[in-house]
Amino acid sequence: MTITQPDLSVFETVESEVRSYCRGWPTVFDRAQGSRLTDEDGHTYLDFFAGAGSLNYGHNNPVLKRALIDYIERDGITHGLDMSTTAKRAFLESLQNIILRPRDLPYKVMFPGPTGANAVEAALKLARKVKGRESIVSFTNAFHGMSLGALAVTGNSMKRAGAGIPLVHGTPMPFDNYLDGQTPDFLWFERLLEDQGSGLNKPAAVIVETVQGEGGINVARAEWLRALAALCERQDMLLIVDDIQMGCGRTGAFFSFEEAGIVPDIVTVSKSISGYGLPLALTMFKPELDIWEPGEHNGTFRGNNPAFVTAAAALDTYWADGQMEKQTLARGEIVETHLKAIIAEHPGVFAEYRGRGLVWGLECTDKELANKIAKRAFELGLLIETSGPQSEVVKLLPALTTTPEELDEGLRTLARAVRDCA
């Protein structure tokens, strides 16, 4: 495609230097529908980014859009703090009937604020409140958000440095396969817990992603997650699963931990829970942990009623019949087939591919290559990002509603970008 030079002057002169995604995609986007975005010059891009996982049902999904427009046109409540509203009731009923009860998850639902980081902050606060301890264990290459509490349990050194102050009360442990299988799972962790001379403060909780998205698409094995859950139970620690990017069907099942057969004490959900890209976050936890005082954690925008409307519509439309999980797993097989072919065509260029459902990564042996591939893919009309501690992984995050034809088109474009750069 031929790309004319867009007018980016106001962004470059007025907007902060902190902006990032726009640097890799130097155009001005104007419209979007399904898995495609169109810029102001009429160029169309296939989206394998999906709002960093916030658009599992695509851009401007017509079913969700209709529900939202109808709600706005009848002057439904927009801002409601934590007041009871018809929109919130409809969402909670759908969440309970379609998601929680069929999975035998008796979670209480908390609306901590509109962002995933806020959901994590609430989870950490609640764990400390329940257990009366300060320390939280996280894992190497974890990412849990950019606020101070969430950064304290995040691994990336660049992101941690942005805090400007020491990040405390968090202790990292090796994620699954971090030590290349040379050490039995949790040997070091459990030894520290049991040794009175280890210097490890007794943790209140352990927080984990079943698939580390920003950390490089690192997939935890089901048996590793089960062993972690058992360790937490033995050692009187709460288990927090951060399902902000991998939940809402990204890995196949609605919750990414379902495959392992575990029941976390606390679960954080955000990104695609609204279904439409509207800000919404949930912190869910077992009923016995609900020891909050009224207003002890609050926020002005925790009652985003338009997001409740689209969230309920998403659950009712895509999760009532069990077909979305099957579709996602089937489309994940399409992605895996293409990635195998790319690796076979370029021996030595990639360390490996890995993923589940519709989240996949290609790890480059040359740490600079992933960014080159992403740049070339943009020039060819495909939006992909990178992840990993050195941005060495090409990350694929297409919408769950992406058609097989669109998947094929995007993956062929990726293959061409690899050929042009490898």
Side-chain angles (χ1 to χ4, degrees), residues 23 26 43 51 72 87 97 105 116 145 171 179 195 210 232 239-240 245 265 272 275 295 299 334 343 349 372 375 401:
R23 298 178 188 274
H43 299 119
I72 292 171
N97 295 330
L105 296 172
T171 302
L179 299 173
D195 184 357
T210 67
C232 288
L239 176 60
I240 305 169
Q245 187 168 95
D265 298 292
S272 275
I334 296 174
I343 284 185
V349 172
K372 294 176 183 175
K375 180 181 179 181
T401 52

Side-chain angles (χ1 to χ4, degrees), residues 95-163:
L95 181 67
Q96 185 177 45
N97 295 330
I98 296 172
I99 303 300
L100 299 181
R101 277 181 180 158
R103 292 162 176 79
D104 197 24
L105 296 172
Y107 289 142
K108 298 295 285 292
V109 179
M110 173 184 179
F111 300 103
T115 69
N118 206 317
V120 168
E121 294 285 354
L124 301 181
K125 285 170 66 173
L126 181 60
R128 288 169 169 140
K129 181 178 173 68
V130 168
K131 293 299 183 183
R133 309 178 205 135
E134 295 177 352
S135 178
I136 303 288
V137 165
S138 58
F139 291 95
T140 50
N141 290 313
F143 178 78
H144 297 290
M146 299 296 283
S147 50
L148 291 180
L151 273 178
V153 291
T154 287
N156 187 283
S157 59
M158 183 274 287
K159 293 179 172 66
R160 290 174 64 88

Side-chain angles (χ1 to χ4, degrees), residues 77-323:
I77 298 292
T78 295
H79 182 272
L81 294 163
D82 67 357
M83 294 184 290
S84 300
T85 65
T86 55
K88 185 197 283 189
R89 178 169 59 198
F91 167 65
L92 286 172
E93 288 175 348
S94 291
L95 181 67
Q96 185 177 45
N97 295 330
I98 296 172
I99 303 300
L100 299 181
R101 277 181 180 158
R103 292 162 176 79
D104 197 24
L105 296 172
Y107 289 142
K108 298 295 285 292
V109 179
M110 173 184 179
F111 300 103
T115 69
N118 206 317
V120 168
E121 294 285 354
L124 301 181
K125 285 170 66 173
L126 181 60
R128 288 169 169 140
K129 181 178 173 68
V130 168
K131 293 299 183 183
R133 309 178 205 135
E134 295 177 352
S135 178
I136 303 288
V137 165
S138 58
F139 291 95
T140 50
N141 290 313
F143 178 78
H144 297 290
M146 299 296 283
S147 50
L148 291 180
L151 273 178
V153 291
T154 287
N156 187 283
S157 59
M158 183 274 287
K159 293 179 172 66
R160 290 174 64 88
I165 61 171
L167 296 168
V168 295
H169 309 307
T171 302
M173 289 290 165
F175 191 71
D176 190 13
N177 203 40
Y178 183 76
L179 299 173
D180 300 320
Q182 297 179 34
T183 303
D185 295 337
F186 308 114
L187 176 67
W188 170 242
F189 189 2
E190 195 150 25
R191 180 68 181 270
L192 290 178
L193 289 169
E194 293 175 349
D195 184 357
Q196 298 300 308
S198 71
L200 176 67
N201 293 333
K202 181 80 172 183
V206 174
I207 186 168
V208 66
E209 304 154 273
T210 67
V211 180
Q212 294 182 327
E214 301 307 310
I217 318 300
N218 304 313
V219 182
R221 293 167 295 138
E223 55 266 35
W224 187 87
L225 292 168
R226 287 192 289 269
L228 176 60
L231 173 61
C232 288
E233 187 171 0
R234 283 198 307 275
Q235 296 288 347
D236 186 35
M237 303 178 296
L238 297 179
L239 176 60
I240 305 169
V241 168
D242 181 340
D243 232 7
I244 288 166
Q245 187 168 95
M246 298 303 155
C248 302
R250 175 54 58 182
T251 64
F254 187 83
F255 295 111
S256 71
F257 56 81
E258 292 182 50
E259 180 191 38
I262 62 173
V263 179
D265 298 292
I266 305 175
V267 181
T268 61
V269 177
S270 185
K271 288 194 183 285
S272 275
I273 190 62
S274 82
Y276 203 75
L278 298 175
L280 182 64
L282 315 178
T283 304
M284 298 183 286
F285 37 83
K286 293 179 177 178
E288 61 269 26
L289 304 181
D290 194 10
I291 63 171
W292 292 111
E293 295 292 333
E296 195 171 10
H297 186 99
N298 57 27
T300 303
F301 295 104
R302 64 194 183 281
N304 187 357
N305 281 258
F308 293 152
V309 171
T310 55
L315 297 181
D316 295 344
T317 302
Y318 292 104
W319 292 99
D321 61 4
Q323 292 305 303

Side-chain angles (χ1 to χ4, degrees), residues 348-368:
V349 172
F350 300 101
E352 64 174 339
Y353 73 91
R354 47 187 182 257
R356 281 175 57 196
L358 278 174
V359 52
W360 292 88
L362 270 174
E363 182 181 348
C364 302
T365 52
D366 175 359
K367 307 297 185 187
E368 304 297 321

